Amino acid sequence: MEETSGFRKELVSRLLHLHFRDCKTKGFGPPVGGDALQLMAEFLRIFVVEAAARGVSQAQAEGLGVVDVDQLEKVLPQLLLDF
């Protein structure tokens, strides 16, 4: 199966395992399955694309031609609530 996401499954797996501290999810339980990794990779892709789009909209509203960290910080609270 070919990956359509910009995130490699290995990276997604590592991110998941780094942030789960429960012994049932890190190293002691079964590894994260391929379907879960594919779903999480797609979720991350959508999140990043949406953050970029909202950052562009915010920059345009401020009359700027370039998205900076400031615009992303302004859209981040609502983005997190939406996801």
Side-chain angles (χ1 to χ4, degrees):
M1 177 182 290
E2 190 174 317
E3 290 186 46
T4 58
S5 174
F7 293 94
R8 294 187 327 262
K9 286 184 180 180
E10 298 82 22
L11 174 61
V12 176
S13 178
R14 182 78 175 135
L15 287 171
L16 289 174
H17 283 98
L18 282 173
H19 295 286
F20 284 112
R21 301 287 181 214
D22 190 324
C23 67
K24 294 178 184 176
T25 58
K26 185 176 181 187
F28 298 102
V32 177
D35 288 343
L37 286 177
Q38 187 176 359
L39 181 64
M40 191 63 194
E42 180 64 10
F43 175 82
L44 288 171
R45 185 191 69 78
I46 292 169
F47 184 84
V48 169
V49 168
E50 184 64 24
R54 291 184 189 198
V56 168
S57 295
Q58 181 66 34
Q60 289 173 343
E62 295 176 10
L64 301 173
V66 178
V67 177
D68 196 353
V69 173
D70 295 330
Q71 287 75 45
L72 292 174
E73 287 177 346
K74 290 175 183 175
V75 300
L76 186 61
Q78 187 61 47
L79 178 66
L80 291 173
L81 288 172
D82 291 345
F83 274 78

